[in-house]
Amino acid sequence: MSAGQGSEHGWWQASDGNWYPPDQHPDPHHRARFAAPPPRAEARTAGPGTARIGAPAVLAVLAAAVILVAAMVAIVVSGGGDEAEQVVDREPTEGAEDAGPSPEADASPSEPTDPEDEASPAPESEAEPPGSDEPAFTWAVTGADGPTMEAVADLWNEENPDQRVDLNFLPPAPDDQRTQLFNDQVTGAGEFAEAGYIESLEDLRDSVEGVSIPGAIESAQHEGELYALPYATNFGFLYYRTDLVDEPPETWEELYDTVLEIQEDDPDIDGYVAQGDRYEGFVLNYLELLWSDGGEVFDDAATESLLLDGDHAERAITFMQDAFEEGVLASGFRTMTEDDARLAFQDGDAIFMRNWPYAYPLLQGEDDEDTEVAGDVGIAPLPTFEGAPVETVSTLGGINNAVSTLSDNPEVAREFVEWAATDEGAQEILAEMQPPPTKASIYQRHQAIVPEDQQPIYEVLNQVRQHARARPPVPGYNGFSLAVQEHLHSVYADGADPGPALEAVNEAAEEALVEDPEEDNEEEADMDRG
């Protein structure tokens, strides 16, 4: 379904295959037609370039009982809908870059000017049918996977009619979700926990240990303590053209040489497409290169930076720098996001691609998607560097659920979070729709029962999930991420000196170990003066 078409309630499907709420649509007439009435403002931003929301919005969303954290955190906030639906004061801001598949066009909402175009009431999710009792709690979820979240909520409500959940949709882009919640990026349990917005769930550890994917559990921790439970996940794959490549490369050096060899016969084809724009997606790609050479950002206890230990960090960024200069990376790599890479690969213009599982069915032509590579797509784990002490590595994406400290009904919220992580039916919904589940047994079973044409993706998922890694769950990850974007993007894209750039990123990594480095420095200065 293309932009401009959608459900009777205004939900529409973008070319990335994801469904989005009406206020994310590129057509202003569509947004106006399905706009929510002003009194029901749900602390929602609508995409790049819209609004930054301050503390009142944090309270509005966190007063809903369960929050999506990262991998991203989803917060469950109990106590009915009053606080969750309070009107939010907004201040202008520059929009955050997209860190995942998102609508192709700017989707900031516009107000109708014709009386006939006045906003109609927002469509109510089946999770809260007209005339039902007030919900027991609210689940703040990503709008990018709205149909999936609604299906999970409907299952819970069917099984728990006296403890119904209501949905509060966040923007589809992770960066915008963080902006909405925190006035800045928040990458997971660490920053939410440090801010005091989510409860410890350490007493529920036995429910997910040995059940959920280990990397997903890691992403839900802060200083070794669980502050969220895994729910949905995501992994990076290597996509390759089977009509051009006999076997997928196992090392980055092999990929590099293969591209140059193919380009000798076809100089117009791009080599490797991925997430190279200056945004969170680039950070994930750099971390995968760093980790695939055996490098680390922090020690296991997250007490010191290891970024400059050895030459791993320099090897990762100079590989990108050399690959860009030699044309191994696509000419437009420096501005590519997930969907830019997918469309280039889908049009037959690239040999290799790093992307998430969502791209696979679209490349094969599902949903009437135009594709030049159907039947010629292979997938494999991402390569490593020669001699690296790792088999493969992927940055873990996805969603965890956390319980808000503002919840009036925390016990029900905790029950829901545990259910979403472990219930077979809830996790099966994720397996059948998207994003992928975190319950490990689902992958093994689905690899055995899915149709033959879908088996490759589950085979690779089973390999990759064992080596997937969470982004560092440190309090100041946002500052580290922004430093990587600012300093390392220019190294590969503009040929800047990697030495000073890595020094600046290492300084940001050290500062990321404390919640507020400026406040920490002020305390040290006070001690010195004393």
Side-chain angles (χ1 to χ4, degrees):
M1 189 172 292
S2 61
Q5 299 176 299
S7 72
E8 61 178 322
H9 296 314
W11 280 81
W12 58 283
Q13 190 175 26
S15 61
D16 59 16
N18 286 327
W19 282 83
Y20 297 91
D23 66 353
Q24 306 296 324
H25 200 283
D27 183 354
H29 297 292
H30 185 97
R31 297 197 299 269
R33 179 185 174 195
F34 293 101
R40 190 179 164 83
E42 292 185 353
R44 188 185 292 174
T45 56
T50 54
R52 172 161 297 184
I53 302 179
V58 176
L59 297 178
V61 177
L62 296 182
V66 181
I67 310 178
L68 293 166
V69 289
M72 246 191 33
V73 173
I75 296 186
V76 179
V77 191
S78 303
D82 292 341
E83 290 182 313
E85 295 177 0
Q86 64 184 282
V87 177
V88 177
D89 295 326
R90 299 187 176 191
E91 299 177 2
T93 186
E94 295 180 5
E97 293 292 323
D98 193 351
S102 64
E104 297 170 355
D106 176 66
S108 55
S110 63
E111 297 295 331
T113 56
D114 193 305
E116 295 182 359
D117 293 332
E118 287 185 1
S120 58
E124 295 193 31
S125 163
E126 292 181 14
E128 186 187 358
S132 67
D133 294 335
E134 185 175 286
F137 63 98
T138 301
W139 187 19
V141 301
T142 167
D145 302 302
T148 304
M149 304 304 178
E150 288 181 333
V152 172
D154 290 342
L155 178 62
W156 166 270
N157 288 339
E158 180 182 337
E159 297 178 358
N160 302 272
D162 296 329
Q163 297 178 339
R164 300 179 60 80
V165 60
D166 190 20
L167 298 180
N168 184 317
F169 287 109
L170 302 173
D175 283 1
D176 295 334
Q177 293 158 6
R178 300 176 192 123
T179 299
Q180 173 167 316
L181 290 172
F182 267 85
N183 235 5
D184 213 332
Q185 289 186 347
V186 176
T187 300
E191 289 182 90
F192 278 92
E194 286 284 345
Y197 290 143
I198 56 178
E199 292 189 356
S200 170
L201 300 179
E202 182 63 27
D203 60 313
L204 298 179
R205 180 179 289 274
D206 289 345
S207 298
V208 294
E209 289 283 4
V211 175
S212 299
I213 296 166
I217 297 175
E218 179 188 353
S219 73
Q221 296 183 146
H222 172 55
E223 296 182 346
E225 186 172 352
L226 272 178
Y227 280 88
L229 294 189
Y231 168 62
T233 191
N234 230 336
F235 312 101
F237 290 172
L238 179 71
Y239 291 79
Y240 65 98
R241 293 275 298 279
T242 57
D243 56 327
L244 301 175
V245 180
D246 293 331
E247 296 290 337
E250 295 183 358
T251 68
W252 292 111
E253 291 88 350
E254 184 183 350
L255 182 148
Y256 192 109
D257 294 340
T258 300
V259 168
L260 294 180
E261 183 178 337
I262 292 174
Q263 287 178 335
E264 287 182 3
D265 297 326
D266 186 359
D268 294 329
I269 195 168
D270 281 328
Y272 182 72
V273 294
Q275 295 71 60
D277 200 0
R278 184 173 159 176
Y279 76 122
E280 178 68 7
F282 164 67
V283 179
L284 305 190
N285 279 239
Y286 176 74
L287 287 175
E288 287 168 348
L289 288 170
L290 172 71
W291 289 333
S292 69
D293 191 45
E296 296 289 345
V297 181
F298 303 105
D299 63 338
D300 291 341
T303 58
E304 63 176 324
S305 171
L306 301 181
L307 185 68
L308 299 184
D309 284 19
D311 60 357
H312 308 293
E314 183 173 1
R315 187 178 188 184
I317 195 59
T318 55
F319 172 82
M320 293 189 70
Q321 188 178 55
D322 293 343
F324 190 71
E325 291 176 356
E326 292 295 322
V328 173
L329 302 187
S331 56
F333 192 91
R334 70 177 74 188
T335 59
M336 279 189 173
T337 61
E338 280 82 355
D339 237 17
D340 298 320
R342 176 184 66 84
L343 291 171
F345 192 89
Q346 191 165 308
D347 288 341
D349 295 332
I351 305 166
F352 297 106
M353 175 178 71
R354 184 268 183 215
N355 220 322
W356 308 99
Y358 88 100
Y360 187 76
L362 301 177
L363 298 175
Q364 301 290 10
E366 283 195 16
D367 300 326
D368 298 322
E369 189 77 19
D370 291 332
T371 176
E372 299 296 325
V373 296
D376 293 326
V377 179
I379 53 176
L382 291 169
T384 62
F385 283 100
E386 290 180 357
V390 292
E391 295 181 40
T392 184
V393 67
S394 166
T395 308
L396 191 78
I399 298 166
N400 301 325
N401 284 320
V403 177
S404 169
T405 54
L406 301 181
S407 173
D408 293 332
N409 198 0
E411 291 307 314
V412 176
R414 291 164 66 86
E415 181 182 344
F416 174 82
V417 166
E418 184 178 16
W419 173 87
T422 60
D423 182 76
E424 198 77 9
Q427 289 284 300
E428 278 287 352
I429 289 173
L430 297 172
E432 294 169 4
M433 300 174 75
Q434 66 172 334
T438 54
K439 193 169 184 177
S441 62
I442 298 286
Y443 292 91
Q444 298 166 341
R445 182 169 64 256
H446 271 257
Q447 185 177 346
I449 65 174
V450 297
E452 186 175 349
D453 63 338
Q454 296 180 29
Q455 287 184 359
I457 197 166
Y458 277 96
E459 181 180 347
V460 175
L461 278 169
N462 267 319
Q463 296 178 57
V464 173
R465 68 179 176 84
Q466 302 175 50
H467 305 284
R469 297 190 55 173
R471 281 166 277 189
V474 293
Y477 175 86
N478 172 55
F480 168 75
S481 173
L482 294 177
V484 172
Q485 296 171 45
E486 177 183 357
H487 298 287
L488 297 189
H489 188 272
S490 61
V491 171
Y492 94 83
D494 302 321
D497 184 352
L502 288 170
E503 290 286 350
V505 173
N506 184 61
E507 181 178 349
E510 292 174 344
E511 292 177 348
L513 294 171
V514 294
E515 180 181 5
D516 188 342
E518 293 184 4
E519 182 178 317
D520 189 67
N521 290 338
E522 290 175 3
E523 291 177 357
E524 290 181 2
D526 290 341
M527 291 177 64
D528 291 341
R529 285 193 293 269

